[in-house]
Amino acid sequence: MDPLGAARAQMAFSLGFHMIFAALGIGLPLFMVLAEGLYLRTKRPEYLALARKWAKATGLLFAVGAVSGTALSFELGLLWPRFMEFAGPLIGPAFALEGYAFFIEAIFLGLYLYGWDRLKPVHHWLCGVPVAVSGAVSGILVVSANAWMQNPVGFELAGGKAVNIDPMAALFNPTWAVMAVHSTLSCYMASAFSIASVYAWGYLKGRRTDYQRAALRLAMTVGALVAFIMPFSGHFSAGHVAHRQPAKLAAMEAHFRTERGAALKIGGLPDTTRQEVPYALEIPFGLSLLAHHDPHAEVKGLEEIPRDQWPNVPLVHGAFQVMIGSGFALMGLSALYWAIFRKRRGELPDWVMRLLVPTGVMAFAALEAGWIVSEVGRQPWTIYGIMRTREAVTTAPYVEVTFFGFLALYTVLAVALGWLLLRLAGIEESGPANESGEKRPGEPERTGGREAHAPAHG
């Protein structure tokens, strides 16, 4: 394996793993705060039990995400030194501010985890709010650096180097807001449907308690809301890409020839040699309408772009189809869930739960596929239009050694996190209280502060 191939494989593998940790680390604190807020409002013990359980999971994800993110920061310097030399002064402020957000999250997460029964209920809940906010802000700041790579601004190019640098212009680059909104929503959606998936599985296994039902309702409320917002966010993202990265849009849609009134392709197997997309379903004028809000607008095709600047069209198009297909499937399942919920007054048949079980995988498939579209669609550029990926990679030998080393690291992190989360779930099921928060026979009463209302399994 050559250094470029090894470096790209290492970053792809590392980012693919890290995005799972990061998405749950962004989304789960929101559910933790919502659950405790509902407990404070309703005094229903199942919400307090959920807040306690999700707080512990948040702590685990925070720790694993910190290790994963630190490893990625080392990879940037080790594998892409030329990129860091050029881009460091421009994207440095985003990473510095992300560090502040990380420490704020760590401080308030500590207060939240160790503040149960030590802080007043409202004060404890307020400590959770910065955890949810700073987690989202951390992700948004990292996205700023990636958005700058997609749309490099804030400098002038002289002799292959960046001069007259304006870090604030780089930080607040025009692509940032569009990517930040879409990325953050995708994290919330992945977290929501992962929760729904887990508790739907538990429901099918016979755990049909108020605790289980509350978790499902909360997850599907957030999941449905985000699922129906995502198409609007995606539409704005696609329009932005059409304006600033026409090669990426052409790859997403496998659009080879420039034309007016371009059709929108659904599915298909792009053939880059013949520049055709057999088996695709075409919606007349759809691409022109979505990209430019004009059914007769001209859409630039790959034929106008030098062949050595084409992204991997089959991969980008396939990932785009997975993202769109998963998103619309989740919308449909959300609508079905709430229609049956209202009709059956909360008692859902098993077949609905079976449909919900794979939604967590579908949501993460959409998230990962979206990042494939974003990153592979930018190729062959590391900094779009400025620096190619092959120019940014290290010239040091034995890159494949670090590839296998980081492969081992992320495998260990994934296995450890999975084992810990399963152990956490096992403690929940074997604890002295059942999931509805009811005291088991023979269990002593708890007194003092919140414990009068809290189930022991929290």
Side-chain angles (χ1 to χ4, degrees):
M1 188 182 296
D2 66 293
L4 177 59
R8 293 181 69 179
Q10 183 173 326
M11 286 299 296
F13 185 84
S14 301
L15 283 168
F17 262 97
H18 180 71
M19 280 187 286
I20 297 173
F21 308 144
L24 290 171
I26 289 171
L28 201 55
L30 173 67
F31 287 92
M32 174 186 81
V33 170
L34 290 175
E36 188 177 8
L38 287 169
Y39 166 72
L40 293 176
R41 181 179 177 183
T42 65
K43 298 302 179 185
R44 291 173 59 178
E46 59 266 28
Y47 287 121
L48 181 58
L50 287 170
R52 285 178 176 269
K53 188 59 59 181
W54 292 341
K56 293 175 183 178
T58 296
L60 291 174
L61 287 162
F62 181 83
V64 172
V67 176
S68 173
T70 301
L72 273 172
S73 68
F74 280 112
E75 289 183 66
L76 282 174
L78 289 171
L79 300 178
W80 313 103
R82 296 178 182 178
F83 163 75
M84 291 303 296
E85 179 183 5
F86 184 98
L90 289 148
I91 64 175
F95 285 111
L97 290 171
E98 191 273 337
Y100 283 108
F102 174 84
F103 284 117
I104 291 171
E105 184 179 5
I107 290 167
F108 281 96
L109 181 58
L111 290 171
Y112 191 87
L113 290 174
Y114 294 100
W116 291 106
D117 316 311
R118 295 176 178 86
L119 299 172
K120 292 181 178 180
V122 173
H123 294 169
H124 181 266
W125 176 75
L126 289 173
C127 285
V129 174
V131 178
V133 172
S134 57
V137 169
S138 290
I140 289 169
L141 287 167
V142 172
V143 167
S144 170
N146 186 275
W148 178 86
M149 294 165 67
Q150 309 280 348
N151 185 15
V153 295
F155 67 97
E156 295 177 6
L157 198 61
K161 295 185 178 181
V163 298
N164 297 330
I165 291 173
D166 183 353
M168 290 299 101
L171 178 65
F172 297 103
N173 63 80
T175 303
W176 181 23
V178 175
M179 285 189 65
V181 170
H182 199 65
S183 174
T184 305
L185 287 174
S186 68
C187 291
Y188 290 145
M189 186 168 77
S191 299
F193 285 106
S194 294
I195 292 171
S197 177
V198 169
Y199 286 93
W201 176 261
Y203 192 91
L204 290 171
K205 290 297 181 180
R207 297 194 289 276
R208 306 188 176 194
T209 63
D210 290 340
Y211 175 89
Q212 211 79 15
R213 295 185 185 94
L216 271 169
R217 284 196 303 271
L218 183 53
M220 290 305 296
T221 298
V222 176
L225 179 63
V226 176
F228 279 89
I229 293 175
M230 283 296 283
F232 298 98
S233 172
H235 175 66
F236 283 112
S237 296
H240 190 82
V241 168
H243 178 63
R244 299 185 181 275
Q245 293 178 296
K248 180 186 289 187
L249 179 73
M252 288 161 57
E253 296 291 346
H255 183 65
F256 291 102
R257 295 175 180 84
T258 299
E259 60 181 321
R260 293 184 176 276
L264 180 70
K265 298 180 181 67
I266 300 176
L269 302 173
D271 184 338
T272 56
T273 301
R274 300 174 61 184
Q275 299 189 14
E276 296 176 351
V277 191
Y279 312 114
L281 172 66
E282 296 191 357
I283 300 176
F285 307 103
L287 182 56
S288 292
L289 183 63
L290 289 174
H292 301 290
H293 307 106
D294 180 355
H296 301 289
E298 181 179 273
V299 180
K300 187 175 182 179
L302 287 164
E303 65 181 1
E304 293 193 27
I305 298 165
R307 190 62 181 260
D308 66 345
Q309 295 182 24
W310 284 22
N312 185 324
V313 179
L315 179 57
V316 174
H317 178 72
F320 184 66
Q321 299 301 307
V322 169
M323 180 183 70
I324 297 298
S326 298
F328 277 102
L330 292 171
M331 285 177 60
L333 288 172
S334 298
L336 176 66
Y337 171 89
W338 285 111
I340 300 295
F341 184 91
R342 292 188 65 183
K343 185 177 181 180
R344 300 284 292 268
R345 297 185 179 181
E347 289 299 325
L348 297 169
D350 286 357
W351 65 266
V352 174
M353 294 299 170
R354 293 191 186 96
L355 290 175
L356 292 181
V357 169
T359 57
V361 174
M362 292 167 62
F364 269 104
L367 184 145
E368 296 277 5
W371 277 105
I372 290 173
V373 170
S374 178
E375 300 308 288
V376 179
R378 189 185 66 237
Q379 298 300 317
W381 305 100
T382 292
I383 305 173
Y384 190 74
I386 302 293
M387 179 183 290
R388 290 179 182 248
T389 304
R390 66 169 180 263
E391 298 168 345
V393 73
T394 180
T395 57
Y398 310 117
V399 176
E400 63 273 12
V401 175
T402 64
F403 168 73
F404 289 110
F406 279 91
L407 176 67
L409 170 66
Y410 279 96
T411 301
V412 169
L413 287 175
V415 171
L417 179 62
W419 181 79
L420 289 168
L421 290 175
L422 287 173
R423 182 173 174 79
L424 185 61
I427 291 171
E428 173 184 283
E429 292 183 19
S430 62
N434 62 30
E435 289 179 325
S436 65
E438 298 170 354
K439 185 175 72 68
R440 287 183 173 179
E443 180 191 355
E445 290 286 350
R446 299 186 172 206
T447 58
R450 310 175 116 195
E451 293 297 328
H453 301 284
H457 67 267

